[in-house]
Amino acid sequence: MPTPEAHVPVQDYRIGPLDTVSITVFQEPDLSVKDVVVEASGTLSLPLLGKTQVAGLTTSELAADLQAKYGARYVRNPQVNVTITNPVSQQVTVEGNVIQPGSYPVAGRMTLLRALASARGPTRMAALDEVVVFRVVNGQRMGALFDVNAIRKGRAPDPQIMGDDMVIVGFNAVKGAYRDFLQTAPVFAIFRNF
């Protein structure tokens, strides 16, 4: 039986400004480049082609584009391989009740559990059944609610996190009030409302 995660559609990483890429043209070392940073304009300077727009393309789309361009004028049946050696343009922001809130790079296949792990995990007061992921879809901001406990137990798929997503972990008011009570009770040594 496949795991629930197997049903989650995976979207390829899209190259963006300041990502570092390597491009290999098989048996053409003069056309290959290693560890080149994409300019802020989203372009790379490539041998024979000059400035080439690469931002917004996946590695396979860029490879196909370069094969067509090199094949049309310079190399017979070129085989191009593109790898992202340092992805930095796509970030996920993790906020709320996590140990280390902040922005983290989306490298490889980032999932919700991996995003939470990047933020060093949820706090003790986190409401793991109230984790919201915000994302822009077709120019509209949308959100989805996830239950991390169900994901951890395999009852729900671990959703893919994409660049510019925002993950917000909710606050468990009961746990928080109980913890606040425990922290203040020894100091005052009296019964208090909480």
Side-chain angles (χ1 to χ4, degrees):
M1 180 171 149
T3 63
E5 191 173 312
H7 299 294
V8 178
V10 177
Q11 295 192 3
D12 289 336
Y13 183 91
R14 298 215 171 258
I15 299 168
L18 306 180
D19 284 340
T20 304
V21 299
S22 291
I23 299 170
T24 306
V25 182
F26 183 65
Q27 294 187 340
E28 297 292 339
D30 293 338
L31 300 180
S32 300
V33 294
K34 183 175 169 87
D35 296 331
V36 180
V37 178
V38 177
E39 295 175 16
S41 62
T43 61
L44 282 178
S45 291
L46 297 175
L48 300 177
L49 299 178
K51 293 244 183 216
T52 304
Q53 186 67 34
V54 299
L57 300 175
T58 65
T59 54
S60 56
E61 290 170 344
L62 179 56
D65 183 51
L66 295 178
Q67 281 176 203
K69 288 178 179 176
Y70 281 127
R73 296 173 31 198
Y74 305 108
V75 181
R76 187 171 181 214
N77 297 321
Q79 294 183 4
V80 179
N81 183 41
V82 178
T83 55
I84 300 170
T85 54
N86 187 21
V88 296
S89 68
Q90 294 189 23
Q91 303 269 327
V92 59
T93 301
V94 184
E95 295 182 351
N97 286 282
V98 291
I99 293 170
Q100 191 171 347
S103 291
Y104 299 94
V106 175
R109 186 179 185 278
M110 176 71 82
T111 65
L112 179 56
L113 292 181
R114 289 183 181 160
L116 293 176
S118 296
R120 297 186 56 212
T123 65
R124 289 185 201 169
M125 276 88 55
L128 295 179
D129 60 339
E130 294 178 11
V131 177
V132 180
V133 177
F134 290 104
R135 149 179 321 159
V136 176
V137 179
N138 297 326
Q140 249 186 337
R141 185 172 177 180
M142 305 187 85
L145 181 66
F146 295 95
D147 183 344
V148 170
N149 288 323
I151 295 169
R152 286 179 174 166
K153 292 175 183 173
R155 293 193 314 253
D158 189 5
Q160 182 180 7
I161 298 299
M162 297 186 289
D164 298 325
D165 279 359
M166 180 178 289
V167 176
I168 300 176
V169 180
F171 178 73
N172 187 323
V174 174
K175 282 184 185 176
Y178 179 70
R179 185 168 172 88
D180 289 345
F181 173 75
L182 289 179
Q183 288 177 342
T184 59
V187 174
F188 298 106
I190 58 171
F191 287 100
R192 300 181 57 211
N193 289 334
F194 66 97

